[in-house]
Amino acid sequence: MATEPVSLTQPRLGPASLDALDARVQRPSYDRATVGCGIVHLGVGAFMRAHVAVYCDDVLRTGDDWGIAGVSLRRPDVSRQLAPQDCLYTVRIGAESSEYRLVGSLRSIAVAPEDPGATVDSLASPSTRVVTITVTEKGYCIDPHRGGLAAEHPDIVHDLAHPAEPRSLVGLLYAACRQRRDRSAGGITVLSCDNLPSNGALLRRAVLDFASLSGGELGGWIERNVAFPSSMIDRIVPATTPDDIAQAASETGVVDEALVCTEPFTQWVIEDQFARGRPRWEDAGALLVPDVAPYEAAKLRLLNGAHSTLAYLGYLAGYQYVHEVMGDAVLSSFVERMMVHEISPVTQEPAGMEHRVYIAQLLERFRNPSLRHRTWQIAMDGSQKLPQRLLASIGDQRGSAGHDDGLCIAVAAWMRYVLGTDEEGGRIDVSDPLADTFAQIAADCGDDNAAIVARFLDIGSVFPVDLAGDTAFAGTLVRRLAELRQFGARETARRFLENEST
Ligand code: CS2
């Protein structure tokens, strides 16, 4: 589409401004007024709007009636963007040129903290049959290595004490199950769509742990009536910026405050285990399978593991966007080598997803310049991401006496990043639930790399006991951290590649 001069004088997107919307924008072919909400979605971020809601929009076009009632679990921002637009929004799909589509599957938006009881009511309504979830890793309040609920998490402590006003995902689901049981509203499917391994099983265990901490009487009902399928979900969705909104306004003719920008690629692999029916997502391209585990592992380790590596090394090397890091021959070779020689050999290959092809496709996706995906955005919440993205491969490699140095450089780069000072001596805005712990380590340990690594390895929610106690692993991290601090990220990667090729 041609780019008009940027100006926000266009009308705001909504049912009344659809005439102003460029005729080339694909729009819903169904009557939104009659759409029912069999799905409640928790966590209406950009990712959900570019993924789950688009699959539902496609399904609605085929006549299968599955609209979505959206709920934000924390802030009112998304509701403020969507409510004035009757929950309509556009998705910009960016490759060489941009395409837009108008999505109509989201029918309402609520903010849970403003009225937790209303959210529980909608989750417990007999017409709600599927709950889809994108709340990011930290929203699950789990202990990643034990796999169970982190009972000491402040939100869980709160919800156990105030079960009628839950704040956490797990507390909300528990309250909804209790109400469904009390009102004979029937079973339900809870479909986790976050980047965690065995996300369904993990959430099931967390809800059952909550039930047993609450006295145990609901556990049996949950086991019999609630399905928790796992799913692997993939689409790269950078945070939308004011510039994106202005550009889209000039291209589509309307101002969309809830715009999401994404790539052409999209994938959803879902474990086909539902309690009371489901949308025919396969008609929208989803893969329904008996076991999602190999797909999850391949995605978490190859895509997300590489992404985090690009984020930490790339940020430290001074790059703002992923496609810029990929434009650096040293860093892109480093990450490709890591995927091919270190991660792929210890990761199961899912049916129909040959690693060789998948890796080539990922590198191409990371290079997409229209995505403008900030390294800082991916670097966020590393303490929640590292275990499944990098440490799982390292753990498997060590078991098979493999070679783990590239992965260790990535872990050391994470440490270097969260210590909070960049290579020019500037402050890094570290966004992570453990940011205070990291700042304390930096303050206590100064330049003592061995002390720094020891303190990091002590963080039990990040490092599993066997890795934390592995002195060879610790030694490698100390050496790599020292190199990163002395030579910088790019030079450390360059030396590594040079060494490997001799
Ligand atoms: C990214 C993911 O921000 C991040 O940590 O690695 O959000 C990634 O873009 C998605 O998982 C892609 O499906």
Side-chain angles (χ1 to χ4, degrees), residues 343-494:
I343 303 175
S344 170
V346 294
T347 304
Q348 196 188 332
E349 203 165 60
M353 220 171 121
E354 200 189 328
H355 282 172
R356 196 180 49 83
V357 177
Y358 186 53
I359 291 171
Q361 197 179 36
L362 288 176
L363 294 168
E364 204 47 46
R365 291 171 64 195
F366 295 158
R367 280 191 197 104
N368 183 348
S370 76
L371 277 179
R372 305 185 75 72
H373 201 181
R374 288 177 71 195
T375 47
W376 179 85
Q377 187 187 346
I378 301 166
M380 244 192 285
D381 292 346
S383 66
Q384 304 279 318
K385 296 174 176 173
L386 237 60
Q388 57 277 13
R389 295 184 177 203
L390 297 171
L391 303 179
S393 300
I394 294 178
D396 285 354
Q397 269 199 337
R398 301 186 77 78
S400 62
H403 182 71
D404 58 13
D405 254 1
L407 285 159
C408 286
I409 289 176
V411 175
W414 165 71
M415 293 178 177
R416 171 82 180 81
Y417 175 93
V418 299
L419 287 170
T421 309
D422 68 22
E423 292 182 1
E424 308 299 321
R427 197 183 73 81
I428 301 175
D429 177 11
V430 177
S431 174
D432 193 291
L434 295 187
D436 290 347
T437 307
F438 303 147
Q440 197 56 52
I441 295 176
D444 293 347
C445 303
D447 289 335
D448 185 343
N449 295 320
I452 292 171
V453 167
R455 288 279 292 275
F456 273 111
L457 290 177
D458 253 1
I459 305 176
S461 64
V462 177
F463 292 94
V465 183
D466 51 343
L467 263 189
D470 183 330
T471 49
F473 176 59
T476 306
L477 288 178
V478 173
R479 188 162 49 86
R480 294 307 188 182
L481 180 61
E483 273 181 52
L484 285 166
R485 300 179 95 186
Q486 186 180 351
F487 305 118
R490 190 172 186 282
E491 181 58 12
T492 300
R494 197 195 62 75

Side-chain angles (χ1 to χ4, degrees), residues 47 195 233-237 299 303-304 307-308 365 373 377-378 385 389:
F47 184 71
N195 282 325
I233 184 155
D234 185 12
R235 196 167 208 186
I236 297 177
V237 190
K299 195 249 168 175
L303 188 160
N304 297 114
H307 235 184
S308 291
R365 291 171 64 195
H373 201 181
Q377 187 187 346
I378 301 166
K385 296 174 176 173
R389 295 184 177 203

Side-chain angles (χ1 to χ4, degrees), residues 153-359:
H153 190 290
D155 289 350
I156 300 299
V157 172
H158 170 274
D159 291 357
L160 287 166
H162 309 280
E165 286 168 12
R167 278 183 190 159
S168 70
L169 167 70
V170 173
L172 275 168
L173 292 173
Y174 177 81
C177 288
R178 199 179 44 195
Q179 195 163 306
R180 291 190 84 89
R181 189 224 24 211
D182 294 348
R183 297 190 182 166
S184 305
I188 193 161
T189 300
V190 176
L191 178 59
S192 165
C193 304
D194 281 295
N195 282 325
L196 287 159
S198 307
N199 46 15
L202 206 102
L203 182 54
R204 177 176 188 272
R205 163 108 184 257
V207 174
L208 287 172
D209 280 357
F210 191 97
S212 73
L213 290 168
S214 303
E217 44 101 30
L218 198 61
W221 187 90
I222 294 172
E223 277 171 356
R224 287 188 303 280
N225 295 284
V226 186
F228 290 90
S230 287
S231 77
M232 180 276 252
I233 184 155
D234 185 12
R235 196 167 208 186
I236 297 177
V237 190
T240 306
T241 65
D243 281 353
D244 293 327
I245 293 176
Q247 186 191 339
S250 74
E251 293 181 341
T252 63
V254 296
V255 176
D256 177 6
E257 299 278 351
L259 169 79
V260 286
C261 302
T262 188
E263 60 177 340
F265 183 91
T266 181
Q267 188 180 19
W268 200 2
V269 186
I270 308 168
E271 188 185 348
D272 199 359
Q273 190 222 327
F274 285 73
R276 282 176 62 220
R278 62 167 175 81
R280 291 190 52 80
W281 280 313
E282 60 271 49
D283 291 349
L287 192 62
L288 278 294
V289 297
D291 181 17
V292 179
Y295 298 91
E296 277 178 331
K299 195 249 168 175
L300 286 168
R301 293 174 177 205
L302 287 165
L303 188 160
N304 297 114
H307 235 184
S308 291
T309 304
L310 289 166
Y312 297 119
L313 287 172
Y315 185 100
L316 291 169
Y319 294 113
Q320 200 184 346
Y321 298 109
V322 171
H323 70 274
E324 294 173 348
V325 190
M326 289 301 292
D328 181 316
V330 167
L331 294 178
S332 65
S333 305
F334 177 87
V335 88
E336 179 172 359
R337 195 199 165 282
M338 190 177 100
M339 292 159 96
V340 173
H341 294 289
E342 300 184 25
I343 303 175
S344 170
V346 294
T347 304
Q348 196 188 332
E349 203 165 60
M353 220 171 121
E354 200 189 328
H355 282 172
R356 196 180 49 83
V357 177
Y358 186 53
I359 291 171

